[in-house]
Amino acid sequence: EFLAIIGLSGSGKSTLLRCINRLHEISSGTILFRDKDITELKGKELRNHRRDCGMIFQHFNLVKRRSVLENVLSGTLGSMPLWKSLSHQFSDDDIQRAFHNLEIVGISEKAMIRADALSGGQQQRVAIARALMQNPSIILADEPVASLDPATSHSVMNYLEKINKEMGKTVICNLHFLSLVRQYATRAIALKDGVIVFEGLPHEITDERFREIYGEDAVEIHIR
């Protein structure tokens, strides 16, 4: 599914994603992933779990002075022997997969360009291709369009939708704009102070529900 998480800043959206991939430790409770509690994973099992969770960040997290191709290939580092990762020795198969993933997000012609020469939307597409290099079963996108203009936001969201529908990857995406939630998500949850206050279909988020989530004075902004 394509699950959208909404809520005010500080409601717990980013923390939730970082608990799923174990970048944050939880203080109590359990996290079930494929019917297995992942809160006690350590060592190799934890590394394998993190590889199964492709992470996309708001500010792209690219190495700006390196090429687009090198940034995408860095998505394989977690599965390489240490000596290879330190010397960045990538196989021909890795390079072919990197070009393929760049084609998926429509940016393969930029492979040899430095990352800092790209627009914000293009950099986010590079970040998506990098996450795909892990061959994850789940994509965790932490406000992936918050730094982008409206037109570019739809471009990035279209690629996440493509990955969900055509590649069969689960997408969990933190979003601020309900218009994007209604257009792209198959299900939504809303957080308020770390508590789920809504769970259901995007079109079920009525004006009344919106005010419960964001406050009485909140005004919905649409991205068209």
Side-chain angles (χ1 to χ4, degrees), residues 51 73 76-82 84-85 88-90 94:
R51 282 202 298 269
L73 284 166
T76 67
L77 294 177
S79 59
M80 294 171 63
L82 180 61
K84 277 193 172 184
S85 66
H88 284 227
Q89 294 187 27
F90 301 105
D94 287 335

Side-chain angles (χ1 to χ4, degrees), residues 75-216:
T76 67
L77 294 177
S79 59
M80 294 171 63
L82 180 61
W83 66 271
K84 277 193 172 184
S85 66
L86 291 174
S87 58
H88 284 227
Q89 294 187 27
F90 301 105
S91 68
D92 290 342
D93 179 62
D94 287 335
I95 294 171
Q96 289 178 4
R97 287 198 303 117
F99 273 104
H100 175 66
N101 288 327
L102 284 169
E103 288 174 2
I104 289 174
V105 296
I107 203 172
S108 59
E109 75 281 1
K110 305 287 187 182
M112 300 307 173
I113 295 175
R114 274 176 53 137
D116 57 6
L118 302 183
S119 68
Q122 290 172 330
Q123 289 187 48
Q124 193 60 288
R125 285 151 66 184
V126 174
I128 294 172
R130 178 184 59 194
L132 290 176
M133 287 298 290
Q134 300 173 210
N135 193 27
S137 64
I138 186 170
I139 296 288
L140 306 175
D142 191 8
E143 299 185 10
V145 299
S147 301
L148 307 177
D149 60 71
T152 306
S153 295
H154 280 290
S155 173
V156 169
M157 293 300 297
N158 281 329
Y159 286 114
L160 290 177
E161 183 181 47
K162 177 180 179 181
I163 290 167
N164 170 240
K165 291 184 175 179
E166 297 181 14
M167 300 178 66
K169 307 283 187 186
T170 296
V171 175
I172 302 181
C173 185
N174 290 345
L175 290 169
H176 275 301
F177 300 104
L178 279 182
S179 56
L180 295 179
V181 174
R182 293 188 180 104
Q183 182 167 348
Y184 296 101
T186 58
R187 190 164 66 91
I189 66 171
L191 297 180
K192 190 172 185 178
D193 297 326
V195 176
I196 294 177
V197 294
F198 171 85
E199 181 176 2
L201 300 176
H203 72 263
E204 294 174 338
I205 306 174
T206 61
D207 290 343
E208 181 180 359
R209 285 284 197 178
F210 176 82
R211 289 190 295 272
E212 289 175 1
I213 297 165
Y214 290 99
E216 290 294 330

